[in-house]
Amino acid sequence: MSLTQRQKKFVREQVSRKSEQQIADALKVDIEEVQAYIEKAGLRIDPARNRLFAAIAVLLPFLFLGLLEVGLRMADYKGDLALFREIEAFDREYLTPNSNFTARYFFYTRTLPSPQTDLFLKEKPENGFRVFVMGGSTTAAYPYGYNAAFARVFREAMEDAMPGKHVEVVNVATSAINTYTLYDQVGELLAQDPDLILIYSGHNEYYGALGIGSNESAGSAPGFVRTYLAMQRLKVFLLARDVATNVVKWMNERGGSAQDEGATLMARIVREQSIPLNGEIYEKGLRQFQSNLKAIVRRFSDRGIPVMIGSLASNEKDQPPFVSAQHENLPAAQSVYDEAVMELELGNSARALELFQYARDLDLLKFRAPSAFNGVIREITEEMGAVYVPVEETLREASSDGIIGEGLMLEHLHPNDEGYFLMGKSFVEAMQRADFLGFDADSARLKPMEVYRRNMFLSEFDRQIGVHRIRTLKEGWPFTDRQVQSYRMTYEPVSRADSLAFVMVHEDLAWDRAKVDLASYYQSVGRKNDALLEYYGLIRNQPWNDSPYLFAARVFLDENDFDAAFPLLLKAYEIEPEEAFTTKMLGAIYVDRGELDEGIRLLEESLALKPNDTQAIFNLSGAYGLKRDFPKALELAERVLELDPRFPGARAWRQQVLSFLE
């Protein structure tokens, strides 16, 4: 019996999807009838063609995703997320940490923290010694930034100990990140051929980006989260992440739980406000820290790159627990803290320290790393051959009663400028104890540590930046649980430095611009030393830039202190030899010192850059006169008078030269 029209239609529709037997079974007919119709109607499909169609069907989604990835890259979706970006300065190519790279980690929080702008050469010199410093806000020297960073102390000590090396210490630390994000940076750091890695990280483990208690969390399994981080190299993945995040935000807004974007980063990033000691979330955070830190050290060690890890310090004595409640068989953190205060008042400092640390560990809000984290650091350094740096121990030794408090801490865990110096000192001394890890260095060349302390060049302006940032921080949660009027509404600056610090923190004023403005003001009112402090701070922060060297040199030149100006001008000339002012002043100083050939060379370089500089021409005429080349001296003297007939001393000098020629 032949197939009906309806059955034939079914065969035509299903022949490419089902086997002949499946079609026959569906129609409840003999397979021979189905085969006969397929043959007669020319519907038989080559199996190879079937496989091709199947492959195309499978590949189509991937092709779509590939094209979407290409399109997103062409559109520069999310911008450049690489850890480093290129920059050209003074005819040399540098790399610097990319201010946008943290967009890889923060998808729920809109305000992105950014790293410092340390520069290092794109092509590492043969004599290069390159160090990367990893960590969170403490490593980034919050709230001061810039010259307060312990990395700067370490850099200067290594420059002294390694005079034949081009030392680069690059700080990639960023606020609110933890060991997940540190692990994600390892590959890009390895690509830059580091010689040494410094790590100070752990306080952000629960609430930093991707931490177990953070709004930016991606789960609690370290292996999964590290894979998630690797996937973020794909723009398609970032698009999917952002779509999902925006849906969640929209649902939260409709539900009345939208995030307060005016809140501090601390307030915006926290999801779990109660993490009991030894509880499930606590243990997951501890495992997260241990797993990531091991993975980080292993990847560097496999490439023969040594790692130094600092123990974690926080305010034990003067920071009460943020959140206190009795949990199961554990006491409330506040009651333990109160007992610690009482023991300290009784003079029992050892017992007080023990209780202060226990109170910190019991604090349900885990903004300070628990004591167990330092145990993990010690275990990993011993097991994997990394260098343990006793940061906490160094700060404790420098604290009254041996308990870290407000003498070295600004709030719960960020050191003051003395604390940051002690951190740098701790890393330097650990490097010494490790015999500089086999690098060619001379411990005898290190200066006394108080010299490095003095050479941090932190001014009133820098310290007031810290004051305003900490004051702003403490106006919000968790330091207060009520809304308060910001001090900004009624604040009256106490000095010019304080005013600029206030504007820099709360408005749009660049740190280096503010320091130049402040130094210029100090010069105008005769405060030479204060002006120099600002300029030396700029030099320390931007050693690759000739401008602050010249600013400082001008202070001395204005007082005819050529000996003090000379080394600053030399450094500026080393950085930027094609600067007319630098070559002119160096030439004049060499002439004044009797080194006529070098002075003439530099003055001629200056005139090649600025041919009509009458001062440079006059100085060069004088140099040739001292060399007794009077025809050349006369030619230059007459040129000065052509350009400026009233140039001071030019006519008298011309007459003197003429007398020598008679």
Side-chain angles (χ1 to χ4, degrees):
M1 186 175 77
S2 61
L3 299 176
T4 65
Q5 292 300 318
R6 180 175 294 178
Q7 288 172 326
K8 290 177 180 178
K9 180 182 178 184
F10 181 83
V11 173
R12 290 194 300 271
E13 290 173 349
Q14 300 298 321
V15 69
S16 62
R17 303 174 190 168
K18 298 181 179 181
S19 67
E20 293 170 352
Q21 186 62 60
Q22 288 174 321
I23 294 173
D25 292 342
L27 293 175
K28 295 183 173 52
V29 298
D30 292 336
I31 190 172
E32 289 82 4
E33 293 183 61
V34 173
Q35 290 172 336
Y37 176 70
I38 288 173
E39 191 69 36
K40 181 178 178 182
L43 301 176
R44 191 173 301 282
I45 298 176
D46 182 6
R49 213 168 103 196
N50 260 340
R51 287 194 294 273
L52 176 61
F53 287 153
I56 290 173
V58 170
L59 291 174
L60 270 176
F62 295 99
L63 178 62
F64 170 76
L65 290 173
L67 291 172
L68 181 57
E69 177 72 18
V70 170
L72 290 170
R73 287 181 182 273
M74 291 178 64
D76 198 26
Y77 181 71
K78 303 294 286 187
D80 179 12
L81 300 181
L83 179 58
F84 300 112
R85 63 183 178 88
E86 294 182 12
I87 186 171
E88 189 168 325
F90 309 106
D91 298 324
R92 304 187 77 175
E93 288 187 324
Y94 292 90
L95 294 176
T96 186
N98 178 11
S99 60
N100 191 50
F101 91 94
T102 54
R104 286 162 21 183
Y105 314 125
F106 294 91
F107 48 88
Y108 196 77
T109 301
R110 292 176 189 171
T111 304
L112 299 179
S114 58
Q116 294 188 16
T117 54
D118 288 343
L119 268 62
F120 62 102
L121 290 170
K122 185 176 179 182
E123 296 295 329
K124 182 181 175 182
E126 287 187 10
N127 68 334
F129 178 71
R130 181 168 289 175
V131 183
F132 288 108
V133 186
M134 307 174 74
S137 57
T138 301
T139 310
Y142 178 88
Y144 310 105
Y146 305 102
N147 288 326
F150 73 82
R152 298 277 165 88
V153 176
F154 187 83
R155 181 191 73 194
E156 287 160 359
M158 293 307 104
E159 285 173 341
D160 287 338
M162 302 178 175
K165 294 286 188 180
H166 178 83
V167 176
E168 297 171 317
V169 178
V170 184
N171 195 343
V172 296
T174 308
S175 295
I177 66 172
N178 57 29
T179 54
Y180 275 130
T181 51
L182 265 59
Y183 178 86
D184 187 54
Q185 297 164 18
V186 171
E188 289 163 287
L189 295 181
L190 287 171
Q192 301 305 325
D193 191 20
D195 296 289
L196 175 65
I197 302 295
L198 310 185
I199 298 175
Y200 183 84
S201 179
H203 287 305
N204 294 335
E205 209 58 31
Y206 288 95
Y207 299 129
L210 304 175
I212 186 65
S214 169
N215 271 319
E216 308 287 347
S217 178
S220 60
F224 171 80
V225 178
R226 292 197 290 263
T227 302
Y228 163 89
L229 284 167
M231 292 292 291
Q232 290 190 115
R233 300 296 190 272
L234 297 173
K235 299 283 188 179
V236 168
F237 185 86
L238 291 173
L239 176 64
R241 184 197 72 177
D242 290 350
V243 169
T245 301
N246 287 331
V247 169
V248 171
K249 285 183 178 179
W250 176 78
M251 292 173 65
N252 286 340
E253 288 169 2
R254 286 180 61 86
S257 59
Q259 190 181 65
D260 178 9
E261 291 300 330
T264 64
L265 184 58
M266 287 177 72
R268 285 182 274 118
I269 202 169
V270 171
R271 187 185 71 240
E272 297 288 347
Q273 296 185 20
S274 180
I275 301 178
L277 181 65
N278 302 326
E280 181 183 358
I281 297 177
Y282 170 88
E283 293 295 337
K284 285 180 177 179
L286 187 61
R287 288 197 298 272
Q288 166 188 309
F289 181 66
Q290 184 178 44
S291 174
N292 288 337
L293 198 57
K294 269 190 175 181
I296 290 165
V297 175
R298 184 178 297 110
R299 289 185 67 185
F300 285 122
S301 297
D302 287 347
R303 291 277 293 271
I305 300 163
V307 178
M308 303 178 72
I309 310 174
S311 59
L312 302 167
S314 60
N315 189 341
E316 302 160 334
K317 181 171 61 176
D318 298 311
Q319 177 60 63
F322 286 115
V323 178
S324 175
Q326 191 170 354
H327 180 77
E328 296 181 354
N329 61 337
L330 296 174
Q334 187 63 49
S335 65
V336 175
Y337 180 84
D338 292 340
E339 185 182 352
V341 172
M342 183 180 65
E343 290 290 343
L344 187 61
E345 290 174 350
L346 294 172
N348 301 326
S349 56
R351 176 59 178 159
L353 171 60
E354 182 182 330
L355 290 169
F356 277 126
Q357 290 180 319
Y358 189 35
R360 176 192 61 195
D361 294 350
L362 288 168
D363 190 347
L364 295 175
L365 192 62
K366 292 290 184 285
F367 273 128
R368 294 175 290 177
S371 304
F373 278 45
N374 279 339
V376 168
I377 292 170
R378 190 175 286 280
E379 288 171 8
I380 288 176
T381 52
E382 290 176 358
E383 176 188 339
M384 307 189 72
V387 176
Y388 178 85
V389 181
V391 170
E392 183 188 49
E393 295 87 334
T394 300
L395 268 64
R396 182 169 292 125
E397 185 179 347
S399 301
S400 61
D401 302 305
I403 305 171
I404 302 171
E406 61 186 10
L408 293 175
M409 291 285 170
L410 295 167
E411 16 75 332
H412 60 307
L413 57 80
H414 294 108
N416 58 21
D417 54 306
E418 177 66 18
Y420 277 120
F421 163 71
L422 290 172
M423 290 183 71
K425 176 176 179 282
S426 184
F427 273 90
V428 171
E429 291 176 345
M431 188 74 167
Q432 280 184 280
R433 287 192 297 272
D435 197 22
F436 293 92
L437 300 168
F439 294 108
D440 184 16
D442 183 359
S443 182
R445 298 185 66 92
L446 289 172
K447 298 181 179 74
M449 289 308 300
E450 56 266 24
V451 175
Y452 298 111
R453 172 71 177 101
R454 186 168 61 249
N455 288 349
M456 290 174 77
F457 297 122
L458 295 176
S459 66
E460 178 195 357
F461 167 71
D462 295 309
R463 291 189 176 89
Q464 286 304 112
I465 289 170
V467 167
H468 289 296
R469 284 181 173 152
I470 292 298
R471 197 162 175 181
T472 301
L473 181 73
K474 287 189 172 183
E475 286 181 343
W477 182 88
F479 297 96
T480 179
D481 56 2
R482 58 190 177 84
Q483 228 176 3
V484 296
Q485 180 180 350
S486 174
Y487 83 99
R488 286 176 278 178
M489 306 300 293
T490 57
Y491 187 75
E492 294 184 7
V494 298
S495 65
R496 183 66 167 261
D498 184 35
S499 176
L500 284 169
F502 182 88
V503 173
M504 182 196 152
V505 171
H506 297 301
E507 299 177 28
D508 189 18
L509 177 63
W511 177 82
D512 49 0
R513 173 63 185 274
K515 286 184 85 69
V516 171
D517 287 351
L518 185 57
S520 298
Y521 164 74
Y522 286 146
Q523 284 180 264
S524 71
V525 296
R527 294 170 62 178
K528 166 191 164 183
N529 291 335
D530 289 329
L532 286 170
L533 183 58
E534 302 300 339
Y535 289 141
Y536 285 139
L538 282 167
I539 288 170
R540 189 172 186 253
N541 184 64
Q542 300 176 1
W544 40 266
N545 183 359
D546 70 322
S547 295
Y549 291 97
L550 292 176
F551 289 145
R554 285 178 186 271
V555 175
F556 292 114
L557 291 171
D558 287 346
E559 297 188 339
N560 294 320
D561 189 346
F562 300 125
D563 289 339
F566 184 65
L568 293 163
L569 291 167
L570 275 181
K571 188 63 182 179
Y573 181 68
E574 178 187 327
I575 296 169
E576 178 51 85
E578 296 187 6
E579 167 57 50
F581 177 81
T582 307
T583 47
K584 175 176 70 174
M585 298 314 301
L586 273 176
I589 292 173
Y590 274 115
V591 170
D592 186 65
R593 291 182 170 190
E595 299 180 46
L596 300 179
D597 290 338
E598 183 65 7
I600 288 170
R601 181 185 70 81
L602 287 162
L603 287 166
E604 287 180 340
E605 281 186 16
S606 181
L607 287 171
L609 296 165
K610 194 175 180 182
N612 293 329
D613 186 332
T614 50
Q615 181 66 62
I617 300 169
F618 184 72
N619 291 345
L620 186 58
S621 176
Y624 276 111
L626 289 171
K627 204 173 180 183
R628 306 194 68 79
D629 186 346
F630 297 120
K632 185 67 174 177
L634 179 61
E635 175 191 335
L636 291 165
E638 289 178 341
R639 185 175 164 199
V640 171
L641 290 168
E642 286 176 12
L643 292 168
D644 184 0
R646 296 184 178 182
F647 189 86
R651 289 191 181 279
W653 170 244
R654 178 178 177 277
Q655 288 302 119
Q656 189 177 354
V657 173
L658 284 170
S659 69
F660 287 127
L661 288 170
E662 290 177 355

